[in-house]
Amino acid sequence: MRDLGEVSLPSEDFDAMAALCRLDQDFPPTIEAWRAMISEATREAHRRGHYPAPLQIDVRKFSAWCAHVQVLPCLDSLRAFVIIRRREVA
């Protein structure tokens, strides 16, 4: 999960992301649970010596990417999306 370290999602976009990932039973049910998951992912990354650049998720871009690569929106596909976005920026 460390790939989600330093990822942010605007509070106003959480409901849209949750609806998009509704089939993923592991997706956090609340914005507070989302923030806790991201905090833990960040701590895990740091424990492993990784200091990922902050990245804000755009729900519309994530949704479009999922459709383009033909994957279901979920935490696993979000991790893949984040990895790819970070490589594009680097």
Side-chain angles (χ1 to χ4, degrees):
M1 198 56 70
R2 72 171 192 227
D3 299 314
L4 295 179
E6 299 294 347
V7 166
S8 64
L9 178 68
S11 297
E12 62 270 13
D13 290 346
F14 177 78
D15 288 340
M17 180 65 86
L20 192 60
C21 297
R22 68 189 171 280
L23 298 177
D24 185 346
Q25 294 179 345
D26 293 327
F27 194 86
T30 64
I31 187 68
E32 293 79 13
W34 165 267
R35 289 179 182 144
M37 179 188 73
I38 297 302
S39 292
E40 178 54 34
T42 301
R43 285 191 295 275
E44 181 182 343
H46 291 179
R47 279 193 301 271
R48 294 175 180 232
H50 299 283
Y51 296 88
L55 180 69
Q56 183 167 312
I57 299 298
D58 181 314
V59 177
R60 291 170 298 284
K61 288 181 181 179
F62 173 60
S63 178
W65 178 82
C66 287
H68 177 73
V69 299
Q70 300 178 347
V71 297
L72 290 175
C74 65
L75 286 174
D76 286 338
S77 56
L78 181 59
R79 286 179 56 231
F81 178 75
V82 166
I83 290 167
I84 291 167
R85 288 294 319 273
R86 284 192 169 132
R87 289 180 188 240
E88 291 173 350
V89 173

